[in-house]
Amino acid sequence: MTMSQKRRTFLKSLGLAGVGVTLTPNLLQAQPRKPVRGKDLSIVTLSGKVQANGKGLAGVAVTDGYNVVLTDASGRYELESNATAEFVYISIPRGYDFPNEQRVARFYRRINPDRGRFKADFTLQPLAQDDTRHNFVVWADPQIISEADAAELKTKTAPDLKQLVGSYPKDTLFHGVGCGDLVWDKFELFEDYQQALAIAGIPFFQVIGNHDMNLDARTDDGSAEKFKELFGPTYYSFNRGEIHYVVLDDVFFIGTAKKYIGYLTERQLAWLEQDLANVKPGSTVVVNVHIPVYTHQHRRNKEKEEPMGGVVANRRELYRILKPYQAHIMSGHTHFNEKVFEGENIIEHVHGTVCGAWWTGPICFDGTPSGYGVYEVNGSDVQWYYKPTGFGKEHQLRIYPVGAVPEKPEHLAVNVWNWDQAWKVEWFEDGKKMGEMQREIALDPLSVELHAGTAKPAKHKWVEPQLTDHLFFAKPSASAERLTVQVTDRFQNIFKEEVRLKDLKLSQR
């Protein structure tokens, strides 16, 4: 066949013969150009085995961040994924130690496919004891921006946690959650954060915060690059005892430095539905995020709208997914302490921070001491308290002198930072029971002393006191000499402090 005949046959196949189209030999030989930029969506098959003591573990959840599968009777799994998946990881089952390196939890493998396949095996170590009873802590916002801040974390907070763990019976199981803003935009300080975890001595799981993100990313997808390099996926789950723990990334970067909103992506919500499909309804689920799912701050400040970067905009869908469970939500970000209840099955613990008011002194800007949450688990039951750094766990209130709050010149004030509606705050005058104190929204007097005004605190002059709803007031009589405040928490633990009114003054405790 001649070249002319070949060309005519080709044109017929295109339906162009007889319309006067002429194609040069060079054009006939041209190849389509590949796109300059684009995502690789090719299929990647993930496979491997989850085992302990050389024996496969059945029913372990394995995920690529999109879909979840369970290991078979021999501990093997296979998962059809795609080239956009970054990690393959497991939901560590109950009864097993948390794999870690220098106390940083390692439950994942970064996917590096070869000819469309990637194999990842996971080996777990059985715990020496039953984990039905265990404890965990939540470190919200270490937020270190300098070597001086890092030194505070390593010489005060980490040893405080180590001492707390040591105060429990030997071999008590503990783990921690770094609840975001592990550093303050200074990625070189992640090493100091990890050193603090090693000092504290318990395994930690990490949550990404808005100050842990790559601020030069063009979209949210790239904002977690450094975090993933150091700590793995930004959303995942694990188990201990009867509790199912979940970590989510609710900080959505909008492409402009330091601009973000509280938002859960469709990918995470779809993954969470699959993850919880393997959890029995009625179980206790602990969800860890950085930005609070909700707070009442805008109501206290009499603002008409919720802060876009202060709560999760699409939280109703999260609440719907959690409805079959007894859920606790752990959050930070705000640098104040608050309890938020959603229906009968969800309580959110908005934590006071490890760094207080950004390492400017001993308290957050609502008067809550710098510290962290401690949670004691027995079966599906969870009890908790707030642990002020440098003080015993019995330190749960601070008493202020009469007139410390200008709007209440004849009243004594008390800050009960971990208060919720199930608590009781009573007062006694010279041994006589006077009843319950009255709760009102106001500024904490010590925060006013340390933070109010453009000149202070010297380290970060923009820090200002914030209204809180865990201040309580009582009006003592003119003849009163001694006053006692007795606080009973929801677990019937009693905390009591007695003061001589004439000796009472602002205290940095």
Side-chain angles (χ1 to χ4, degrees):
M1 183 182 291
T2 66
M3 178 61 72
S4 177
Q5 290 173 319
K6 289 181 179 178
R7 184 160 54 246
R8 189 174 297 110
T9 301
F10 177 72
L11 291 172
K12 280 184 178 181
S13 71
L14 296 178
L16 298 176
V19 296
V21 176
T22 301
L23 300 179
T24 66
N26 288 337
L27 182 57
L28 291 172
Q29 296 168 9
Q31 299 295 318
R33 291 179 60 191
K34 292 183 179 180
V36 175
R37 194 178 185 92
K39 285 203 173 195
D40 180 1
L41 299 177
S42 59
I43 294 174
V44 176
T45 301
L46 307 173
S47 63
K49 186 175 183 179
V50 182
Q51 59 187 346
N53 294 333
K55 183 180 179 181
L57 299 177
V60 178
V62 184
T63 183
D64 60 350
Y66 291 96
N67 293 298
V68 179
V69 297
L70 301 179
T71 56
D72 64 16
S74 62
R76 298 189 180 279
Y77 70 91
E78 186 168 294
L79 175 61
E80 291 294 307
S81 185
N82 70 81
T84 66
E86 299 176 82
F87 301 95
V88 56
Y89 47 105
I90 64 172
S91 185
I92 302 168
R94 70 171 299 177
Y96 293 89
D97 200 6
F98 296 138
N100 66 87
E101 294 178 6
Q102 294 296 302
R103 303 305 178 179
V104 175
R106 305 294 189 199
F107 51 91
Y108 57 90
R109 303 285 187 274
R110 183 175 282 276
I111 298 172
N112 184 21
D114 180 19
R115 288 175 288 188
R117 300 192 67 87
F118 180 73
K119 183 179 180 182
D121 295 332
F122 298 87
T123 300
L124 298 176
Q125 297 296 325
L127 288 168
Q129 72 265 49
D130 179 66
D131 58 2
T132 301
R133 297 182 72 106
H134 65 273
N135 301 338
F136 67 97
V137 303
V138 176
W139 273 11
D141 300 70
Q143 203 157 342
I144 49 179
I145 198 173
S146 65
E147 288 295 343
D149 291 353
E152 293 257 13
L153 184 68
K154 290 188 285 187
T155 62
K156 294 183 179 179
T157 308
D160 187 271
L161 175 52
K162 183 177 182 179
Q163 183 179 29
L164 175 74
V165 172
S167 70
Y168 281 78
K170 186 180 179 182
D171 297 327
T172 299
L173 290 170
F174 263 93
H175 70 272
V177 177
C179 212
D181 283 0
L182 312 178
V183 298
W184 190 352
D185 305 330
K186 302 288 187 180
F187 290 171
E188 63 271 21
L189 297 176
F190 274 128
E191 182 177 350
D192 293 270
Y193 170 74
Q194 293 177 80
Q195 290 170 1
L197 300 188
I199 293 168
I202 62 173
F204 261 76
F205 296 84
Q206 324 308 326
V207 179
I208 189 170
N210 52 288
H211 287 291
D212 304 318
M213 300 189 304
N214 296 67
L215 299 179
D216 56 353
R218 72 175 188 173
T219 67
D220 181 65
D221 286 351
S223 64
E225 183 179 289
K226 186 63 177 181
F227 181 94
K228 290 176 180 178
E229 176 188 321
L230 295 173
F231 305 117
T234 59
Y235 59 95
Y236 54 92
S237 68
F238 59 95
N239 302 273
R240 174 143 283 182
E242 298 177 17
I243 310 296
H244 184 69
Y245 294 87
V246 176
V247 170
L248 297 174
D249 170 9
D250 67 351
V251 184
F252 191 90
F253 178 64
I254 62 173
T256 301
K258 299 184 185 294
K259 299 291 184 181
Y260 55 88
I261 62 173
Y263 184 79
L264 291 167
T265 62
E266 173 60 27
R267 182 191 296 180
Q268 288 187 83
L269 292 172
W271 170 86
L272 181 61
E273 288 178 309
Q274 293 182 72
D275 177 74
L276 292 180
N278 299 310
V279 178
K280 183 180 178 181
S283 300
T284 299
V285 175
V286 175
V287 178
N288 302 273
V289 295
H290 178 61
I291 294 176
V293 175
Y294 189 66
T295 81
H296 295 105
Q297 183 181 26
H298 66 287
R299 294 184 181 178
R300 291 192 290 273
N301 294 337
K302 297 182 178 179
E303 298 167 347
K304 293 183 179 179
E305 296 185 359
E306 303 166 357
M308 290 295 289
V311 297
V312 174
N314 58 338
R315 61 183 174 274
R316 291 298 167 191
E317 186 60 19
L318 177 63
Y319 290 155
R320 183 194 67 79
I321 295 172
L322 293 177
K323 191 172 182 179
Y325 307 96
Q326 294 300 313
H328 294 265
I329 299 174
M330 308 293 165
S331 59
H333 185 59
T334 63
H335 297 253
F336 59 70
N337 208 64
E338 184 179 3
K339 298 288 182 287
V340 179
F341 293 82
E342 174 62 27
E344 297 181 354
N345 70 309
I346 299 175
I347 176 172
E348 179 164 8
H349 308 258
V350 184
H351 290 82
T353 53
V354 166
C355 71
W358 296 269
W359 301 107
T360 61
I363 61 171
C364 305
F365 51 41
D366 69 336
T368 300
S370 305
Y372 49 95
V374 182
Y375 298 84
E376 300 174 333
V377 178
N378 183 9
S380 61
D381 181 61
V382 182
Q383 298 191 11
W384 57 86
Y385 61 90
Y386 186 84
K387 173 63 174 67
T389 303
F391 296 94
K393 66 180 184 180
E394 70 280 354
H395 181 47
Q396 296 295 315
L397 62 138
R398 185 186 305 112
I399 304 176
Y400 292 114
V402 172
V405 176
E407 295 80 7
K408 308 284 287 185
E410 298 179 329
H411 289 71
L412 171 144
V414 179
N415 194 329
V416 185
W417 38 81
N418 215 32
W419 172 89
D420 67 54
Q421 293 284 356
W423 289 46
K424 183 183 291 187
V425 181
E426 303 171 288
W427 68 295
F428 300 77
E429 185 178 277
D430 294 325
K432 180 182 177 182
K433 186 174 183 178
M434 305 299 290
E436 294 192 35
M437 300 183 75
Q438 295 300 118
R439 183 173 66 95
E440 296 189 29
I441 294 174
L443 297 175
D444 176 82
L446 183 56
S447 181
V448 172
E449 177 78 13
L450 297 177
H451 304 145
T454 57
K456 55 186 178 180
K459 185 173 183 178
H460 298 304
K461 295 181 180 180
W462 43 265
V463 174
E464 289 292 328
Q466 295 287 322
L467 292 170
T468 180
D469 60 5
H470 45 68
L471 280 175
F472 295 79
F473 295 87
K475 183 180 177 180
S477 64
S479 61
E481 295 185 0
R482 290 185 175 274
L483 187 138
T484 302
V485 177
Q486 178 175 295
V487 175
T488 306
D489 72 8
R490 62 169 39 239
F491 309 114
Q492 301 307 305
N493 297 307
I494 296 175
F495 308 98
K496 186 184 296 187
E497 288 201 18
E498 182 178 297
V499 295
R500 289 174 58 90
L501 288 174
K502 69 177 183 179
D503 297 333
L504 191 59
K505 56 186 178 181
L506 285 180
S507 168
Q508 295 198 17
R509 289 181 53 200

